[in-house]
């Protein structure tokens, strides 16, 4: 659950940096939660291990953040809405950043105000008692009605267990090894630079003879296309395993073009669904399953299953690769053998949890 929450929060933060026009937050006021607090609080409440219950997913991005006030003019909460769906109202209390309300759709009263005013001043007394000072026609109740703390006095209290969990997630983004922009190499290692010593290893069948694609081949027709390149390489690999219709016209370029129509340009936080669609279009059933650790990588390799790996070098630097094997040293040190999408070789390695943050892993196989 924690790793999935991190993955979703990461996607929201990444896309927040590129796509969101938010209201300015009062960062100088220590009594206010900040933007990252809002994203963390919303994502941890809206996320669910059950996909049917989840209000957001890794394909969700933050649409806007709107401050909500009480009758005295204090910001008492923030309304965060998401595309394609989902919303949350977060308590503006650093000692209790809980969610007051949330759901798959939106708060219809707030959205009505936002659709009618360009810069509204919204009073939020409770989920159904909301109005705009600038537009009395949207008044839901009298101005002198009870405010949020009359309805929910616990919002003023400290919630130590919630703050502890919240800060653990926040620190994973703010600690020194995970900065806004990484160093760009993700910690990848050439074979010639791997440590000496005894080790065990394994590589999936026919990985060394696959006609792999790299991102530079397609930079004139795509951008931020590591996800599309990774899916292309899945197709090329399984074509080499006998599913020849996956490689269109026996061409890497033609295969990428067809894949790119489905995956699109990045950033993309998931590729499994797009890969499955491409394989289906070519007459094959692609199966996949999430993995959580190095042991899962080893088992997948034994079954000759490549793994799609999402790594983050920083909040705004992340990259899709394929794991095609592993190496484990007797004196310590676990490595994936990888196709990194940059070099036309699988003689490259990634040391587990070193140089970049391992966000997700998915093993793939063809059923027919």
């Amino acid at each position: 659950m924690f790793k999935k929450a991190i993955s979703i929060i990461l996607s929201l933060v990444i896309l927040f940096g590129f796509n969101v026009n938010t209201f300015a937050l009062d960062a100088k006021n220590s009594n206010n939660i900040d933007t990252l607090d809002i994203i963390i609080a919303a994502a941890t409440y809206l996320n669910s291990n059950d996909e049917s219950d989840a209000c957001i997913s890794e394909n969700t991005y933050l649409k806007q953040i709107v401050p909500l006030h009480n009758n005295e003019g204090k910001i008492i909460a923030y309304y965060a809405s998401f595309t394609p769906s989902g919303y949350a109202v977060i308590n503006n209390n650093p000692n209790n950043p809980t969610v007051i309300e949330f759901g798959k759709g939106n708060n219809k009263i707030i959205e009505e105000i936002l659709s009618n005013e360009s810069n509204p001043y919204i009073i939020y007394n409770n989920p159904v008692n909301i109005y705009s000072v600038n537009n009395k026609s949207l008044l839901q109740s009298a101005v002198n009605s009870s405010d949020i703390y009359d309805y929910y006095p616990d919002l003023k209290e400290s919630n130590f267990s919630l703050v502890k969990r919240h800060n653990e997630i926040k620190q994973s983004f703010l600690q020194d090894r995970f900065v806004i922009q990484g160093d760009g190499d993700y910690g990848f290692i050439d074979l010639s630079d791997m440590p000496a010593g005894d080790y065990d290893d394994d590589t999936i069948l026919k990985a060394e003879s696959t006609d792999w694609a790299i991102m530079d081949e397609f930079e004139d027709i795509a951008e931020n296309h590591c996800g599309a390149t990774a899916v292309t390489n899945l197709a090329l690999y399984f074509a080499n395993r006998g599913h020849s219709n996956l490689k269109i016209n026996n061409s890497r370029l033609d295969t990428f073009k067809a894949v790119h129509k489905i995956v699109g340009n990045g950033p993309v936080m998931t590729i499994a669904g797009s890969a499955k669609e491409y394989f289906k279009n070519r007459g094959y059933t692609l199966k996949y399953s999430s993995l959580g650790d190095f042991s899962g990588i080893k088992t997948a390799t034994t079954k000759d299953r490549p793994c799609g790996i999402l790594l983050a070098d920083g909040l705004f630097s992340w990259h899709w690769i394929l794991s095609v094997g592993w190496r484990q040293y007797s004196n310590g040190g676990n490595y994936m053998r990888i196709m990194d999408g940059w070099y036309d070789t699988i003689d490259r390695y990634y040391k587990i949890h070193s140089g970049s943050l391992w966000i997700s892993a998915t093993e793939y196989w063809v059923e027919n």
Side-chain angles (χ1 to χ4, degrees), residues 109-120 135 137-138:
I109 300 174
I110 294 176
E111 289 295 334
E112 184 180 358
I113 294 172
L114 294 173
S115 68
N116 284 278
E117 300 183 43
S118 61
N119 189 25
N135 191 338
S137 67
L138 296 173

Side-chain angles (χ1 to χ4, degrees), residues 89-100:
V89 174
I90 299 94
N91 185 32
N92 184 28
N93 181 351
N95 296 316
N96 188 3
T98 190
V99 169
I100 301 169

Side-chain angles (χ1 to χ4, degrees), residues 195-255:
D198 297 331
Y199 60 83
D200 294 320
D201 67 347
D202 192 12
T203 300
I204 59 175
L205 181 68
K206 293 193 175 182
E208 294 178 336
S209 61
T210 296
D211 184 24
W212 300 107
I214 59 174
M215 293 178 65
D216 282 353
E217 297 179 71
F218 318 118
E219 62 180 5
D220 58 334
I221 59 173
E223 58 184 35
N224 295 325
H225 52 292
C226 60
T229 303
V231 174
T232 299
N233 278 327
L234 284 174
L236 296 174
Y237 171 75
F238 283 110
N240 193 35
R241 290 278 301 273
H243 307 292
S244 58
N245 200 42
L246 290 168
K247 189 176 183 180
I248 298 177
N249 300 326
N250 199 33
S251 163
R252 292 193 305 272
L253 178 59
D254 289 348
T255 303

Side-chain angles (χ1 to χ4, degrees), residues 196-200 327-335:
D198 297 331
Y199 60 83
D200 294 320
R327 179 183 287 197
Q328 187 172 34
Y329 286 86
S330 58
N331 61 354
N334 299 328
Y335 298 78

Side-chain angles (χ1 to χ4, degrees), residues 334-350:
N334 299 328
Y335 298 78
M336 295 181 197
R337 189 177 186 183
I338 62 173
M339 158 40 62
D340 64 11
W342 295 336
Y343 295 91
D344 184 18
T345 177
I346 59 169
D347 287 334
R348 300 270 283 169
Y349 291 83
Y350 164 71

Side-chain angles (χ1 to χ4, degrees), residues 21-324:
N21 180 19
T22 67
F23 288 80
L25 304 183
D26 186 6
K28 294 181 180 180
N29 188 343
S30 61
N31 293 322
N32 284 358
I33 58 176
D34 61 26
T35 302
L36 184 54
D37 290 323
I38 294 168
I39 293 174
I40 291 170
T44 52
Y45 273 80
L46 293 170
N47 178 34
S48 171
N49 280 331
D50 185 340
E51 297 296 336
S52 63
D53 291 335
C55 300
I56 61 174
S57 70
E58 291 166 348
N59 295 315
T60 300
Y61 68 84
L62 184 61
K63 181 180 179 182
Q64 61 184 343
I65 296 173
V66 181
L68 305 175
H69 306 80
N70 63 8
N71 291 326
E72 297 176 354
K74 178 183 177 182
I75 297 176
I76 46 84
Y78 290 99
Y79 173 72
S81 61
F82 303 88
T83 296
S85 181
Y87 82 98
V89 174
I90 299 94
N91 185 32
N92 184 28
N93 181 351
N95 296 316
N96 188 3
T98 190
V99 169
I100 301 169
E101 62 167 301
F102 66 96
K104 287 187 176 181
N106 55 49
N107 183 298
K108 297 186 183 303
I109 300 174
I110 294 176
E111 289 295 334
E112 184 180 358
I113 294 172
L114 294 173
S115 68
N116 284 278
E117 300 183 43
S118 61
N119 189 25
Y121 186 93
I122 299 176
I123 305 295
Y124 182 93
N125 291 326
N126 64 47
V128 296
N129 185 343
I130 308 165
Y131 64 91
S132 167
V133 170
N134 302 329
N135 191 338
K136 299 301 183 182
S137 67
L138 296 173
L139 184 66
Q140 300 298 311
S141 61
V143 174
N144 295 325
S145 63
S146 301
D147 71 9
I148 190 72
Y149 301 125
D150 295 314
Y151 290 103
Y152 308 113
D154 290 349
L155 296 177
K156 284 187 172 183
E157 303 298 325
S158 297
N159 186 330
F160 298 108
S161 60
L162 174 64
V163 170
K164 181 177 183 295
R165 182 186 66 177
H166 183 98
N167 286 339
E168 285 175 352
I169 297 174
K170 190 172 186 177
Q171 286 306 310
S172 71
F173 295 101
L174 300 180
Q175 58 188 305
D176 291 341
R177 67 181 177 86
F178 196 65
V179 295
I180 298 298
Q181 295 288 351
D183 58 14
D185 68 5
Y186 290 81
F188 297 161
I189 305 169
D190 288 324
L191 175 62
S192 60
D193 294 324
M194 288 290 285
D198 297 331
Y199 60 83
D200 294 320
D201 67 347
D202 192 12
T203 300
I204 59 175
L205 181 68
K206 293 193 175 182
E208 294 178 336
S209 61
T210 296
D211 184 24
W212 300 107
I214 59 174
M215 293 178 65
D216 282 353
E217 297 179 71
F218 318 118
E219 62 180 5
D220 58 334
I221 59 173
E223 58 184 35
N224 295 325
H225 52 292
C226 60
T229 303
V231 174
T232 299
N233 278 327
L234 284 174
L236 296 174
Y237 171 75
F238 283 110
N240 193 35
R241 290 278 301 273
H243 307 292
S244 58
N245 200 42
L246 290 168
K247 189 176 183 180
I248 298 177
N249 300 326
N250 199 33
S251 163
R252 292 193 305 272
L253 178 59
D254 289 348
T255 303
F256 176 84
K257 287 180 177 179
V259 168
H260 186 254
K261 286 182 179 179
I262 299 171
V263 179
N265 290 327
V268 292
M269 290 300 294
T270 59
I271 60 173
S274 297
K276 185 175 183 178
E277 181 179 347
Y278 174 77
F279 276 60
K280 181 179 179 181
N281 291 345
R282 304 303 297 172
Y284 302 98
T285 300
L286 181 69
K287 307 289 285 186
Y288 57 87
S289 179
S290 296
L291 303 174
D293 53 26
F294 182 65
S295 176
I297 297 294
K298 294 175 68 175
T299 301
T301 302
T302 300
K303 296 177 180 179
D304 294 318
R305 296 176 178 178
C307 300
I309 308 295
L310 178 61
L311 300 174
D313 194 36
L315 285 181
F316 303 116
S317 301
W318 51 287
H319 187 55
W320 282 104
I321 63 172
L322 295 186
S323 169
V324 298

